[in-house]
Amino acid sequence: MEEMRRIERAANALAELGRPEVAVILGSGLSGVFPLAEERTLPFTAIPGFPVPSVAGHAGEVAVGTLSGRTVLVQRGRVHFYEGHPLADVVLPVRAYARLGVGALVLTNASGGIAHGLEAGDLVLLSDHINFLGENPLRGPNLDPVGPRFPDMTEVYDRALRRIAHGVAEELGITLKEGVYLATLGPSYETPAEIRAFRSLGADLVGMSTVPEAIAARHAGMKVLAISCVTNLAAGVSPSPLSHDEVIATSRRRAADLGRLLNSLVPRL
Ligand code: HPA
């Protein structure tokens, strides 16, 4: 199958960097938060089949290094569905990591806060998601060597990993909330009416990433944890207009705490 060959080619290129057990994908404004020891890196452009990000604030490289004795992969930057890439390309990195033998995936993102009580700067573990993209990365012929046709999504974000994350956050004195993330296509931010609708659907957070990767990772049998940085209150929750600059500025402001959390958490996954 052509798609399996594409995944294998990417995985073979990444194998030159090492054999990671855990992978971390860093989102908007978060690329700098998580340096590893003895890093070896490849830019996305040097990995066959990897889609190249176009949005400002995403460097687009993969690093493999060590952290407290574990071999860890960090992806700095990601592509989004709104950039025009097919979802098969958006999730190709995740599938390549699964093929490499990565068993646990940590996704990070920036989001707008919908739930009352959330504030800009909050770090929130995803407890579940709502796929509002109108598309699914598993559409099309099933990749039987990757996973089943109809994978279960009862617990996308692993309960045991979430428990570990809460414990580590508490040790570090970092407040970590939990919430349901709704993925929209973007790239326009939502209207206040859309945010009211999403709240009534059960969404606490809204963003434009993460869900395709989480679905593909569960399909491939990886355990998934996702941490969102609430970079702004969602449209209409906040009286002021939304801006990408605010998203990046808040991510950068919270980068140190997220980096500390990842440093202690990732070796324990
Ligand atoms: N909406 C959608 N995506 C986002 C937001 C938002 O308010 N903030 C950061 N990413």
Side-chain angles (χ1 to χ4, degrees), residues 181-252:
Y181 176 93
L182 183 144
T184 54
L185 175 55
S188 52
Y189 289 116
E190 302 68 39
T191 63
E194 286 166 343
I195 293 301
R196 286 193 298 275
F198 294 166
R199 179 184 288 130
S200 75
L201 290 176
D204 300 310
L205 307 165
V206 62
M208 305 173 193
S209 68
T210 303
V211 165
E213 291 123 312
I215 292 172
R218 289 302 301 135
H219 181 235
M222 298 163 111
K223 290 185 174 175
V224 181
L225 186 73
I227 309 170
S228 188
C229 176
V230 177
T231 53
N232 56 280
L233 297 182
V237 181
S238 149
S240 43
L242 274 51
S243 81
H244 183 63
D245 290 345
E246 181 193 4
V247 168
I248 298 296
T250 311
S251 295
R252 297 225 164 106

Side-chain angles (χ1 to χ4, degrees), residues 73-148:
L73 179 150
V74 180
Q75 176 187 318
R76 302 193 176 109
R78 59 148 67 87
V79 299
H80 300 81
F81 194 33
Y82 64 73
E83 291 174 68
H85 305 277
L87 279 188
D89 289 1
V90 172
V91 303
L92 182 100
V94 166
R95 287 177 165 157
Y97 306 153
R99 175 82 198 165
L100 260 185
V102 169
L105 177 69
V106 182
L107 297 163
T108 66
N109 65 42
S111 65
I114 297 177
H116 299 297
L118 288 179
E119 290 172 45
D122 280 349
L123 297 177
V124 184
L125 274 187
L126 271 57
S127 57
D128 204 347
H129 73 225
I130 298 170
N131 180 7
F132 218 77
L133 295 172
E135 171 64 298
N136 189 300
L138 310 186
R139 189 169 79 86
N142 185 49
L143 303 176
D144 293 331
V146 175

Side-chain angles (χ1 to χ4, degrees), residues 257-268:
D257 271 349
L258 184 64
R260 284 202 303 136
L261 183 62
L262 289 170
N263 262 303
S264 298
L265 171 61
V266 168
R268 298 196 214 174

